[in-house]
Amino acid sequence: MRAPSWLPEPVRRVLRPVRRLWRTGALRTRRSTVVARRAWRRSLQVRVVTITLVSSSLLVGAFGLFVATRSADILLSRATADVEARLDSKAQYATTQLRVHRQVFDARLPTTLSDIVQSLSEGDPGQSGGAVVTLRGEQYPNLRPVTLPAVDTSEVISPELVRAIAERGEVAWQVRTADLGEGRQKYLVYGSPVPTRFGQLQLYYLVPLTTEDSAANEIRTTVLITGLVLVLLLGILAALVTRLVVQPVRVAARTAQRLSAGLLDQRMKVDGEDDLARLAASFNQMAENLQRQIVRLEEMSRLQRRFTSDVSHELRTPLTTVRMAADLIFAERDDFDPAVARSAELLQAELDRFEDLLTDLLEISRFDAGFAILDAEPTDLVPVVGRVVERLEGLAERAGVVVEQRLPAEPVIAEVDPRRVERVLRNLVGNAVEHSEGRPVIITMACDDAAVAVTVRDHGVGLKPGEEKLVFNRFWRADPSRARQTGGTGLGLSISVEDARLHGGWLEAWGSPGEGAVFRLTLPLRAGDRLASSPLRLEPVPAGQTEPGDRTEDAPVEVAP
């Protein structure tokens, strides 16, 4: 709520506190609404109790309204019957007394009317309760009405009631509220025609409904209090009943959370033999089976890791012997026949690949066993990239690929393990050269105050949607039918992502069919720091922009093998 600018400054000063109060109230209302919505969504007990309270309130309210209305009607009916019986005898008495008068101009008629009203009032025990008796002739203007007690009854006797009695000769009644000297209260107004020799007069009997109205109010109050107590008890009962059902579910949820956190010995308490007890027993049985299965799988995984490590170590000895013999044969290949010489070259190449595979398997086993150690030291990463490119020059020349380096002119010092970083970059650049389809490969480096990033971009076949996650899986290949030029082991990217994690960094991939792929390595400048963003964006920038310096403010999702 903002004050219009055309208002005078004094008025705007007065409106400022109102504006603040409005904002405060709106904020509190919004917060309360948010809290209520959150409780409604998250708590089954709140929903059940709320629905029970609302439905029971409607039912109890409807029943209470019916009881109160019916009680008031019964009280009014009793009062009407009593007054009607008394009014009938009063009308007969008035008719008997007025028989002596043959015309309305009789001088004794007013005195007779006063005597009749006085007699009717004295003979009625209801007078002590405020009953009023009036005798009048509406069609005779010169005949003054007689009322006892002497009060103004014009507010109580309505024209509709007068027409029904004076014109149609009917016995009629109505309930009116008026003040006749004893405070404003309800009156039951009953009227009856009184036939005489000179015409018809009207007798009105006004009985206060104080007792009946008080009884109806007491009934309504009792019904209201009883209804509120009943609704409250139903709410408490619903809360207790739902708690009996919801509490085991909550315990099961907490137990499931502990199980998912690795606490496999957690179990639910089983009480009784009802459905909830059977649920707890079934849950415990499920947890027991899961624990056995997980322990079995962990044991199998441990045995597999141990088998891989043992086999890798055991193969080292025969591989060394075979390597020595192969080196001797390879050195003397010029003296052999061309077929034997070619076989020696193939043997040397496959031994190199076999040795690389054993090295990667040993490295993977160390990561799986949690024995990998980070030897971090301050390192300039610019020469590291240069060494990687220099070592892969032969592969790039054979593939006809130009490797372009976009590196900072100043040193980029980071606390890293240079051996592991060089291995990661060697895998990324080697894969980019292999899949670039003869197009250029671009290596970009940038840093900020907290992190350093290196992207390797190729313009080859690219990656299909979803393959940017699968590419880090062990032994996964985008196209298994495609011949490899480097003779890799299929474990390079899996080891690379583990090296990045060991540094507390990220290794991510992006690709699009026909547009190539981008791999981004992001490492903290200081060992142990937590990354929040990367100095380089992962997706290629549009044409006309430079890639270094672009930031990705959102922390990326690490792709795990």
Side-chain angles (χ1 to χ4, degrees):
M1 185 180 70
R2 183 181 298 275
S5 58
W6 50 266
L7 288 177
E9 182 60 27
V11 177
R12 298 180 70 181
R13 279 200 300 267
V14 172
L15 290 178
R16 285 192 188 105
V18 178
R19 180 181 168 188
R20 285 194 295 269
L21 289 175
W22 175 271
R23 288 181 175 177
T24 303
L27 181 61
R28 290 178 179 175
T29 303
R30 193 179 301 111
R31 289 177 178 173
S32 301
T33 304
V34 171
V35 171
R37 288 180 178 177
R38 185 183 297 114
W40 176 266
R41 290 194 308 267
R42 296 183 177 180
S43 177
L44 175 62
Q45 188 173 13
V46 169
R47 291 199 296 271
V48 172
V49 172
T50 302
I51 293 173
T52 302
L53 288 176
V54 172
S55 57
S56 61
S57 298
L58 293 177
L59 292 175
V60 171
F63 179 74
L65 179 62
F66 171 77
V67 170
T69 304
R70 185 60 181 164
S71 300
D73 292 341
I74 292 175
L75 292 173
L76 182 60
S77 299
R78 290 180 178 178
T80 302
D82 180 64
V83 173
E84 185 177 3
R86 285 190 284 176
L87 182 64
D88 184 60
S89 62
K90 292 178 186 296
Q92 293 179 2
Y93 175 78
T95 300
T96 303
Q97 296 298 319
L98 290 173
R99 285 179 180 175
V100 297
H101 301 283
R102 296 182 179 272
Q103 56 184 356
V104 74
F105 301 106
D106 193 341
R108 295 175 299 173
L109 181 58
T111 304
T112 303
L113 293 178
S114 298
D115 293 340
I116 292 173
V117 170
Q118 181 70 31
S119 177
L120 293 177
S121 299
E122 291 178 353
D124 184 17
Q127 183 182 0
S128 59
V132 178
V133 179
T134 178
L135 188 61
R136 61 178 65 188
E138 298 293 342
Q139 68 273 31
Y140 305 117
N142 295 328
L143 186 62
R144 297 180 58 185
V146 180
T147 302
L148 193 69
V151 294
D152 184 10
T153 60
S154 60
E155 187 179 2
V156 180
I157 302 176
S158 66
E160 294 80 6
L161 184 63
V162 172
R163 284 195 296 269
I165 300 173
E167 297 179 5
R168 297 193 294 270
E170 300 174 352
V171 176
W173 64 274
Q174 61 182 190
V175 178
R176 305 279 289 183
T177 301
D179 185 1
L180 299 183
E182 297 184 3
R184 195 165 186 82
Q185 56 185 338
K186 291 182 180 180
Y187 284 88
L188 175 60
V189 184
Y190 237 109
S192 174
V194 179
T196 64
R197 289 185 177 183
F198 55 84
Q200 179 179 281
L201 300 181
Q202 297 87 39
L203 176 63
Y204 295 95
Y205 192 48
L206 287 66
V207 179
L209 297 176
T210 307
T211 303
E212 289 77 5
D213 197 31
S214 176
N217 289 334
E218 290 182 1
I219 292 175
R220 283 192 291 268
T221 303
T222 302
V223 170
L224 178 61
I225 295 175
T226 304
L228 292 176
V229 173
L230 181 60
V231 170
L232 181 60
L233 291 177
L234 287 175
I236 295 174
L237 181 61
L240 293 176
V241 172
T242 52
R243 181 180 175 83
L244 293 176
V245 179
V246 172
Q247 189 64 25
V249 177
R250 292 176 178 172
V251 173
R254 288 194 296 267
T255 306
Q257 290 176 353
R258 296 191 186 102
L259 288 173
S260 63
L263 302 177
L264 301 180
D265 58 341
Q266 296 295 312
R267 297 293 184 272
M268 291 182 62
K269 184 178 180 181
V270 180
D271 291 327
E273 300 178 357
D274 55 5
D275 295 335
L276 295 177
R278 288 197 295 272
L279 172 63
S282 301
F283 185 91
N284 292 340
Q285 184 64 35
M286 178 191 68
E288 189 74 24
N289 295 336
L290 286 176
Q291 184 179 14
R292 285 198 299 266
Q293 189 71 11
I294 291 174
V295 171
R296 181 164 152 260
L297 292 175
E298 288 180 348
E299 182 64 21
M300 291 177 61
S301 177
R302 186 184 65 82
L303 292 175
Q304 289 176 353
R305 291 195 300 268
R306 182 176 178 181
F307 174 77
T308 302
S309 178
D310 292 344
V311 168
S312 301
H313 280 92
E314 291 297 329
L315 288 178
R316 280 291 184 182
T317 301
L319 179 61
T320 302
T321 304
V322 175
R323 165 64 71 181
M324 294 173 60
D327 289 342
L328 181 60
I329 297 173
F330 185 76
E332 301 294 335
R333 70 184 183 281
D334 294 337
D335 299 334
F336 300 151
D337 294 336
V340 179
R342 179 56 181 165
S343 299
E345 292 174 357
L346 292 176
L347 177 61
Q348 186 75 7
E350 291 304 318
L351 282 175
D352 291 340
R353 184 181 176 188
F354 188 36
E355 189 171 5
D356 292 340
L357 178 60
L358 286 180
T359 303
D360 290 346
L361 286 174
L362 286 173
E363 190 68 22
I364 284 291
S365 65
R366 279 193 288 269
F367 280 118
D368 290 341
F371 295 151
I373 299 176
L374 183 68
D375 296 328
E377 60 183 37
T379 304
D380 184 3
L381 296 180
V382 176
V384 174
V385 176
R387 289 197 301 269
V388 170
V389 175
E390 183 179 356
R391 292 182 180 179
L392 295 175
E393 280 183 356
L395 175 63
E397 290 177 359
R398 290 193 300 272
V401 175
V402 177
V403 180
E404 180 182 347
Q405 303 180 52
R406 299 177 182 178
L407 308 179
E410 300 81 10
V412 178
I413 307 299
E415 295 180 5
V416 297
D417 188 335
R419 179 181 65 87
R420 296 184 182 276
V421 173
E422 184 174 346
R423 180 168 61 190
V424 173
L425 295 177
R426 188 168 60 250
N427 286 325
L428 298 182
V429 176
N431 286 339
V433 170
E434 181 185 354
H435 295 87
S436 62
E437 302 291 333
R439 300 183 182 92
V441 172
I442 302 174
I443 304 175
T444 307
M445 178 184 293
C447 68
D448 56 16
D449 296 336
V452 58
V454 179
T455 60
V456 179
R457 169 76 192 277
D458 67 71
H459 299 79
V461 294
L463 296 174
K464 299 177 182 178
E467 290 184 349
E468 67 275 3
K469 298 179 181 179
L470 299 176
V471 73
F472 296 102
N473 290 351
R474 300 175 185 181
F475 301 108
W476 184 87
R477 294 179 62 184
D479 187 2
S481 63
R482 208 169 157 271
R484 302 183 62 96
Q485 300 181 32
T486 58
T489 63
L491 297 173
L493 290 179
S494 300
I495 296 174
S496 298
V497 77
E498 295 292 347
D499 284 332
R501 286 177 177 175
L502 196 60
H503 283 84
W506 304 322
L507 180 58
E508 305 145 279
W510 172 89
S512 180
E515 297 183 13
V518 179
F519 286 82
R520 180 178 66 180
L521 173 66
T522 307
L523 302 174
L525 290 179
R526 290 168 293 276
D529 286 358
R530 184 182 180 89
L531 292 178
S533 62
S534 179
L536 291 175
R537 58 186 297 159
L538 180 60
E539 297 184 12
V541 297
Q545 298 183 12
T546 56
E547 195 167 359
D550 292 335
R551 293 183 59 86
T552 302
E553 296 300 333
D554 296 331
V557 178
E558 182 180 340
V559 180

